Amino acid sequence: MNPRQGVILYGPPASGKDTVTSALNEMNPRYAQFARLKVGAGKSAGYRMGTAQQLHKLEAEGHLVYTNVRYGNTYVIDAPGLDVAFEAGVPVVHLGQVDGVRALVDGYTADWSVVMLWCPRKVTEQRSAGRGDSDTAARLTAWDATRADLDAHPSMVWDLTVDTAASEPQEAAGLIDQLLAQRVGAATA
């Protein structure tokens, strides 16, 4: 078994990825959000802001695990960034595309626990507006794309699914922590 454990949180915008990650970190500081490389503008918190030149260099060196473009920006999961994150603890990677989940699980060796966080579209709209997003319409478009993505990949298997409209963040974090503990227990049995 690979001793490195990581968590992938998949879900539409405002499904609770940031909130659940914060609850995981409060539970155990070894859990930390993986800061994807972001090439573009806008929100920088939670990202490593980069340049097109950095992106091209990572690509030329074969270090890109997954990239996607959304909201006019390029978001990158890179092997060197993951290496650093695993040295620090248990990275929590946020994704909204099944292809990204598959690319990460298949493209970077670790014991990945894949968790789907879900909420209804109306909840995404309410949460986005409630936190003051200026691009709620774009987030709803992304919610629609996430729903279509799931529909296009009916064989996708999740280690855990949490309805964040019905669960508190601490409850979701507890379930994820239990999942990782069970995986370690099963591997050592």
Side-chain angles (χ1 to χ4, degrees):
M1 180 196 123
N2 191 318
R4 300 186 305 171
Q5 283 191 297
V7 177
I8 300 170
L9 296 182
Y10 169 92
S15 62
K17 294 182 291 289
D18 288 335
T19 306
V20 170
T21 300
S22 293
L24 279 165
N25 181 262
E26 288 170 15
M27 178 183 298
N28 183 337
R30 288 189 46 78
Y31 290 109
Q33 181 177 343
F34 173 69
R36 286 183 289 166
L37 184 67
K38 179 179 178 181
V39 178
K43 176 184 167 189
S44 62
Y47 297 101
R48 295 174 288 136
M49 297 304 288
T51 64
Q53 291 78 16
Q54 287 174 296
L55 178 60
H56 295 308
K57 183 176 185 226
L58 285 166
E59 184 175 24
E61 294 171 349
H63 293 309
L64 296 182
V65 177
Y66 180 70
T67 62
N68 72 295
V69 176
R70 188 167 273 172
Y71 312 121
N73 299 300
T74 301
Y75 299 90
V76 179
I77 297 174
D78 60 305
L82 287 167
D83 292 342
V84 170
F86 274 107
E87 287 173 19
V90 179
V92 181
V93 181
H94 297 181
L95 283 166
Q97 306 81 27
V98 171
D99 286 345
V101 173
R102 289 183 172 156
L104 182 52
V105 169
D106 295 342
Y108 190 90
T109 304
D111 180 19
W112 292 107
S113 293
V114 184
V115 179
M116 178 169 55
L117 300 181
W118 194 258
C119 67
R121 189 177 194 275
K122 187 71 174 167
V123 172
T124 287
E125 182 177 24
Q126 292 165 347
R127 288 177 179 170
S128 181
R131 66 187 186 192
D133 291 340
S134 61
D135 59 351
T136 297
R139 293 183 186 279
L140 292 174
T141 299
W143 189 100
D144 294 338
T146 305
R147 176 77 259 165
D149 189 39
L150 281 173
D151 293 344
H153 296 92
S155 64
M156 184 66 192
V157 176
W158 309 99
D159 296 315
L160 177 68
T161 300
V162 179
D163 178 351
T164 62
S167 301
E168 292 297 319
Q170 294 76 14
E171 179 184 358
L175 292 170
I176 293 166
D177 189 57
Q178 274 183 335
L179 173 65
L180 269 69
Q182 288 170 351
R183 290 172 73 107
V184 167
T188 59

